[in-house]
Amino acid sequence: MQHGAEPWRVKVVEPISLPDKDTRRRRLEEAGYNVFAIPAADIFIDLLTDSGTSAMSQNQWAGLMVGDESYAGARNFYNFQETVQEITGLPFVIPTHQGRVAENLLFTTLVKPGMRVPSNSHFDTTRANIEVHGGEAADLVIAEGRDPDADHPFKGNIDLGRLDAFLKENGRDHVPIAMLTITNNSGGGQPVSLANIRGMAEVCRRHGVPFFLDACRFAENAWFIKQREPGQGHRSVPEIVADMFHAADGCTMSAKKDGLANIGGFIAMRDQGLFEKLKNMLILIEGFPTYGGLAGRDLEAVARGLREVLDERYLQFRVGQVQAFWEHLDRRGVPMIRPPGGHAVYLDARRFLPHLAQEDYPAQALTVALYLDGGVRGVEIGGVMFGKTDPQTGTAVWPQLELVRLAIPRRVYTNTHLEYVAEVIERLYANRAAVGGLRMVYAAEVLRHFTARFEPLSPARPAAPPADQV
Ligand code: F0G
């Protein structure tokens, strides 16, 4: 086993069970074939997200007991603040209850209609928080990052040439800030190199545009830098992390990922003027600046989690577990985004189910099949999430990729759990011609993937079995 055994042992267990197939079929019908509407108790292995799903350590649980629930100046805030300052080197820290509130504070303050914000790839909530203020979110990831088959050690890198041209064209008056998502979640959880982070800082400085990291998975990104970037292998993860943040003017953070906590986030920065503005806004929407919508005990759990996540034995196991799961599937020819990302494996549903047209929602169909066959929950990232109807022409506009993301919660599932999931996928792949498409029968105006309802297409569209069908 390249990545070694789990660097922890289990002290508390949470029972999970696989409902029988009739129950699973019924749950799908009741849920309108949308796995978001299935009660978690009826899921066997839940790979919907790696966000807020981590198992906390004994040290974090112990931290809950020293929670100070004072309205102002709780001791946990000072520990939290000092931890963030020490790890990131950013002096001004504002706690929030999750990442999107940090984004909301930032973009409400900076973005005016007509402005544009570049990134490698914006995450949905980042994009939505920019667009809601009339701004435009621009994705400038390198060409390899848009090709699911391209092998590149840092497929999350931003295209520095395009960024430079973008900033020249739009000017600092129209670009209030530039973001960089590490690792690049919307692009397959792919890392960004230290050279690229520094390159982006240099381009932004030249154009006078502030540069913020969307740092949700900063420790996983640092581990990839240590593994893959020339000249970084001998350096410690905290040193690499310090260099990553040193290049930036600030960051937004969801501590539900690399904070190893179930709730929490923050925004940190160097500019005191901006800090004062955001702090006033925080009081309006989250709470007093020393708790930011969190209980004191939650601040403590985040502070302790942020230190633990830098443990290299943890990161080696974490990233290694995701990689081993991906390699297991790759050996069986299962089509996926390559190479594996830090927190998830992304199945390529158009190639998995080539007999389905995009209007049959292949990624949703695969998500449904995974639950029906194995009680496994993943998330559709395809036509349901990103498909739209053009308001002018009334025609459907489809995204390029139809993916199913299987996100691995941190310190939650053992390798045996993931072997089980791999077997479910393998079996499904062998019988893929039997998977039918879906018809959408209800969709909300915005963020429709959470509540959309479907019906199976019946009879299933006649399928030419794939040439290599077994
Ligand atoms: N940025 C990135 C890159 C994210 O992946 C997320 C959340 C956020 C910001 C927002 O953070 O949820 O704490 O408000 N991603 C989760 C996911 C929801 O499943 O990928 P939040």
Side-chain angles (χ1 to χ4, degrees), residues 222-265:
W223 179 252
F224 280 115
I225 289 174
K226 183 176 166 84
Q227 298 305 303
R228 296 182 181 172
E229 191 156 346
Q232 298 298 324
H234 68 286
R235 304 186 64 220
S236 75
V237 165
E239 283 171 336
I240 294 170
V241 166
D243 281 357
M244 284 161 40
F245 285 101
H246 181 73
D249 297 304
C251 74
T252 56
M253 171 77 190
S254 167
K256 298 171 74 173
K257 286 84 169 170
D258 273 353
L260 295 176
N262 303 124
I263 196 75

Side-chain angles (χ1 to χ4, degrees), residues 47-121:
L47 307 183
L48 186 68
T49 180
D50 64 321
S51 180
T53 52
S54 300
M56 293 207 297
S57 65
Q58 60 180 7
N59 183 44
Q60 286 175 293
W61 280 104
L64 300 188
M65 280 309 294
V66 294
D68 169 357
E69 305 309 336
S70 306
Y71 189 93
R75 65 175 161 258
N76 314 109
F77 169 74
Y78 297 107
N79 183 24
F80 172 87
Q81 177 179 248
E82 196 183 301
T83 303
V84 174
Q85 288 168 338
E86 212 176 287
I87 291 174
T88 67
L90 297 167
F92 299 110
V93 183
I94 294 178
T96 59
H97 87 268
Q98 59 181 83
R100 67 197 69 183
V101 185
E103 295 159 10
N104 180 321
L105 291 169
L106 187 64
F107 299 130
T108 303
T109 308
L110 297 182
V111 175
K112 306 278 175 289
M115 288 183 167
R116 305 181 77 192
V117 180
S119 179
N120 46 355
S121 307

Side-chain angles (χ1 to χ4, degrees), residues 348-357 362-363 365-366 429 432-433 435-436:
D348 183 340
R350 289 179 92 168
R351 281 189 290 163
F352 199 113
L353 302 174
H355 56 287
L356 296 186
L366 185 52
Y429 191 52
R432 57 196 182 272
V435 177

Side-chain angles (χ1 to χ4, degrees), residues 37-51:
I38 298 178
D42 290 320
I43 308 287
F44 184 39
I45 308 288
D46 201 349
L47 307 183
L48 186 68
T49 180
D50 64 321
S51 180

Side-chain angles (χ1 to χ4, degrees), residues 49 98-100 103 123 181 185 214 216-217 254 257 405:
T49 180
Q98 59 181 83
R100 67 197 69 183
E103 295 159 10
F123 182 65
T181 314
N185 186 11
D214 176 343
C216 300
R217 300 176 179 85
S254 167
K257 286 84 169 170
R405 184 185 75 171

Side-chain angles (χ1 to χ4, degrees), residues 31 65 133 153 167 181 184 375 402 421:
M65 280 309 294
H133 297 294
L167 296 182
T181 314
N184 191 20
E402 288 283 332
V421 177

